[in-house]
Amino acid sequence: MGSTLVAFVVLGAASLLLHSSKAAVYEVGDSTGWQAPSSTSFYSDWASGKNFTVGDTLTFTFSTGVHDVATVSKSDYDNCNIASQSNVLTTGPATITLTATGNQYYLCTFSNHCTRGQKLAITVAASSTPSPPSTPSPPGTPPTTPSSSPPPPPSPPPPPSASSSLVATFTLVFMSIAISFMYYF
């Protein structure tokens, strides 16, 4: 019985270690969410020290009809160019999966929100897991799909949160222990 129990505990621990290599989910602005901040440096301060990698997910939490999030070029970001943006998510919360390395830029196209600091610039590094080779975009340009290729597949759902994976792992461990006890008693 002891060796079976040890085996299940080791499997549970291994599951926790495997989870740590999964993509991260970032709530942009943490509890503040995506809104016109009190400081123009709020979102750059929020992003500093974070290591964004391909496969990570950004969640922009905002009220629909009050804010939006546009993926823009560096020039549009620097100049808060909100006119004629075509890559705008208008329903909150909006989720963006990081699919390319390099600099990525986001802003709100409502009124003067960008000039008030509702904009985010991040640098995305390669993921720790190998991915198929791709042609890198010049820094500051949003990723594009060539017109001759088929449309990309739909984005996968966001990865489970750390807490739900932890609950699943502990459930597996405790169920394994219970089965072990039933087997021997």
Side-chain angles (χ1 to χ4, degrees), residues 28-125:
V28 175
D30 295 325
S31 61
T32 299
W34 182 243
Q35 62 180 338
S38 57
S39 163
T40 56
S41 66
F42 178 80
Y43 290 105
S44 59
D45 292 343
W46 173 84
S48 69
K50 291 181 175 51
N51 296 313
F52 301 100
T53 59
V54 170
D56 288 351
T57 302
L58 300 177
T59 301
F60 293 81
T61 302
F62 59 88
S63 299
T64 301
V66 179
H67 301 284
D68 60 20
V69 60
T71 303
V72 298
S73 67
K74 180 173 180 8
S75 175
D76 286 348
Y77 173 86
D78 289 342
N79 298 306
C80 282
N81 179 11
I82 60 173
S84 304
Q85 295 298 335
S86 60
N87 193 7
V88 181
L89 300 173
T90 58
T91 304
T95 301
I96 297 175
T97 301
L98 303 175
T99 59
T101 60
N103 297 323
Q104 303 292 320
Y105 303 95
Y106 308 94
L107 56 79
C108 179
T109 67
F110 275 73
S111 184
N112 63 347
H113 294 193
C114 179
T115 57
R116 290 176 48 201
Q118 192 174 358
K119 60 184 189 172
L120 173 67
I122 62 171
T123 301
V124 181

Side-chain angles (χ1 to χ4, degrees), residues 152-173:
S155 297
S161 69
S163 60
S164 66
S165 294
L166 186 61
V167 168
T169 300
F170 282 123
T171 302
L172 174 67
V173 169

